[in-house]
Amino acid sequence: MTGRTTTGSPIPAVREMRWWDIDPVLELEKDLFPEDAWSRGMFWSELAHARGPEATRCYVVAEIPGEGAGEGEGKGPGDGRIVGYAGLVASGGQGDVQTIAVARDHWGTGLGSRLLAELLRAATAFECTEVLLECRVDNVRAQKLYERFGFEPIGFRRGYYQPGNVDALVMRLSDPAAPATPQPPVNGVQGT
Ligand SMILES: CC(C)(COP(=O)(O)OP(=O)(O)OC[C@H]1O[C@@H](n2cnc3c(N)ncnc32)[C@H](O)[C@@H]1OP(=O)(O)O)[C@@H](O)C(=O)NCCC(=O)NCCS
């Protein structure tokens, strides 16, 4: 059943990202990362490593189910609206947040927190003992989200984001299995 926030909007469902989600994800990607958007091939390549016993990736999307859409697998494209996505790669006990994004009209509803919580659950399942990420130094909103989960700044990567030569802040969470409890939502609903 699809619930609603107290503001009346449907609560998006967070589920595994599949190949048919790439098109709507690319639309969000171009809007939210106009200078360095990932290509279709990059998402295909990531999803190729997200299934099976040798999987090293976890990619999720947040979808507002369309009319008549059921839960879970077996659906095709066009069933609902994709309003967020996130991905993590795990290797050698270390997780890396590759991407996380939420449609602008859903910012501040707790969806970024839900997606990040899902990635940390995946990191725990991959038996990661730490999770790292890079974030533009000027992206204060994202940094606040990460800090609420217990990520701490550990350094900079100079000129990491091109074009623009913008530095990256590197952040680290030492134990993804026990993240700091994020602040509860003010006027919405959290949880998957
Ligand atoms: C960064 C990003 C993913 C955050 O997503 P989000 O859905 O807005 O995240 P949340 O709602 O969980 O948290 C953001 C804010 O909303 C507040 N919030 C959380 N749940 C809320 C709710 N139910 N109602 C109202 N406010 C809420 C949080 O307290 C937080 O406020 P703060 O920034 O003042 O501390 C989103 O802004 C985004 O996609 N940005 C563009 C892409 C990007 O920069 N990605 C990160 C790259 S490093």
Side-chain angles (χ1 to χ4, degrees), residues 37-175:
W38 281 19
S39 67
R40 182 183 308 276
M42 290 166 81
F43 280 106
W44 270 106
S45 172
E46 289 295 293
L47 292 188
H49 300 282
R51 291 202 136 194
E54 306 296 317
T56 54
R57 278 26 173 209
C58 171
Y59 276 76
V60 293
V61 291
E63 179 182 38
I64 299 176
E67 208 179 328
E71 296 280 329
E73 297 263 346
K75 303 187 297 169
D79 285 316
R81 181 186 164 214
I82 301 298
V83 291
Y85 56 97
L88 173 119
V89 59
S91 172
Q94 180 182 305
D96 280 279
V97 175
Q98 300 287 83
T99 187
I100 183 166
V102 169
R104 292 178 194 278
D105 62 343
H106 279 68
W107 285 9
T109 64
L111 185 51
S113 304
R114 288 179 61 198
L115 291 168
L116 185 56
E118 199 60 39
L119 294 189
L120 297 183
R121 271 192 286 274
T124 304
F126 281 126
E127 300 184 343
C128 297
T129 53
E130 62 174 2
V131 176
L132 297 172
L133 59 81
E134 288 93 17
C135 181
R136 290 174 66 107
V137 288
D138 56 1
N139 194 345
V140 176
R141 184 182 187 87
Q143 286 165 34
K144 282 166 78 176
L145 170 64
Y146 302 137
E147 281 167 6
R148 284 204 305 277
F149 277 78
F151 281 85
E152 293 173 332
I154 57 167
F156 295 94
R157 295 208 170 133
R158 302 290 174 200
Y160 184 79
Y161 295 100
Q162 300 294 340
N165 204 36
V166 178
D167 297 341
L169 177 67
V170 183
M171 300 183 80
R172 176 177 178 269
L173 177 67
S174 58
D175 185 2

